[in-house]
Amino acid sequence: CKMSVLSEYYAKLSDESKRRYTEKMRSCGIRNDPYVIENEQWEESPDIIPRLTWSDFMLYMISTPSPYTKESIKAWKGMLDGENFLKSGWVHGLRLTRFEIAGKVRYIIMGKVKHSQRLSATPLIPWTVV
C-alpha cells in the first residue's frame, strides 16, 4: 500500500531509517504515519487497551528478528525491565487508536518514555501495533 501522510519525524530520518520506518508501517498495515494522527482519534482509557498475554510479549521480545542482523533479538532483559518501567512511571501517557486490516481489529499504541540517563530530556514517543 502507498504511504499517504508522513510526519516531520520521518522527514528527519536518514534514507536507511526512512526505508525501515516505511517497511514497519507497511508490515503493520498502517497507511498514515502514527505521528500525524489527530488528537481526537486517540483514546486514553486503559480499559480499551487489548489484553496481551505473557506469551505475546515473549514472541515479540525474544523471537522477532532484528532489522539489522535478521536474527532473533532475544531481548530477555528488555522484556523483564519493561514491566518495571511501566509500574515505575518511566512509561506514561499511553493512548491508542483502533483500525482494521483484512477484517481484523488492530490498535496503534503510543506513549511517552522517559530517558534513563537524561531525566530532563524530552521523553521519547514510540509506537507499536497489536
Side-chain angles (χ1 to χ4, degrees):
C1 78
K2 184 177 185 220
M3 301 298 138
S4 61
V5 180
L6 297 165
S7 63
E8 290 180 29
Y9 168 80
Y10 174 86
K12 294 176 184 177
L13 296 174
S14 69
D15 288 344
E16 176 60 19
S17 294
K18 284 179 181 177
R19 185 193 64 73
R20 283 197 322 267
Y21 192 78
T22 54
E23 179 56 34
K24 174 183 176 180
M25 289 174 52
R26 192 171 287 114
S27 70
C28 293
I30 298 172
R31 189 162 178 228
N32 294 328
D33 189 332
Y35 293 117
V36 299
I37 296 174
E38 300 291 329
N39 282 334
E40 57 271 2
Q41 292 180 279
W42 293 97
E43 298 281 340
E44 295 183 5
S45 170
D47 297 333
I48 60 173
I49 294 175
R51 298 291 170 230
L52 299 171
T53 65
W54 185 252
S55 61
D56 293 325
F57 290 105
M58 179 82 146
L59 280 171
Y60 180 77
M61 297 295 290
I62 306 305
S63 301
T64 300
S66 165
Y68 305 106
T69 67
K70 307 299 183 216
E71 295 178 17
S72 295
I73 55 176
K74 298 178 183 169
W76 294 103
K77 184 175 182 335
M79 190 170 79
L80 298 172
D81 288 346
E83 183 178 9
N84 290 333
F85 289 147
L86 188 59
K87 288 179 179 177
S88 301
W90 290 90
V91 178
H92 58 96
L94 289 176
R95 58 189 190 156
L96 63 117
T97 189
R98 179 182 188 263
F99 70 101
E100 288 188 32
I101 181 167
K104 293 186 178 182
V105 174
R106 301 280 189 239
Y107 296 90
I108 301 172
I109 301 176
M110 185 180 285
K112 294 181 180 179
V113 180
K114 295 178 185 178
H115 291 268
S116 62
Q117 301 295 316
R118 297 176 296 166
L119 298 178
S120 62
T122 302
L124 302 170
I125 307 174
W127 61 267
T128 192
V129 173
V130 294

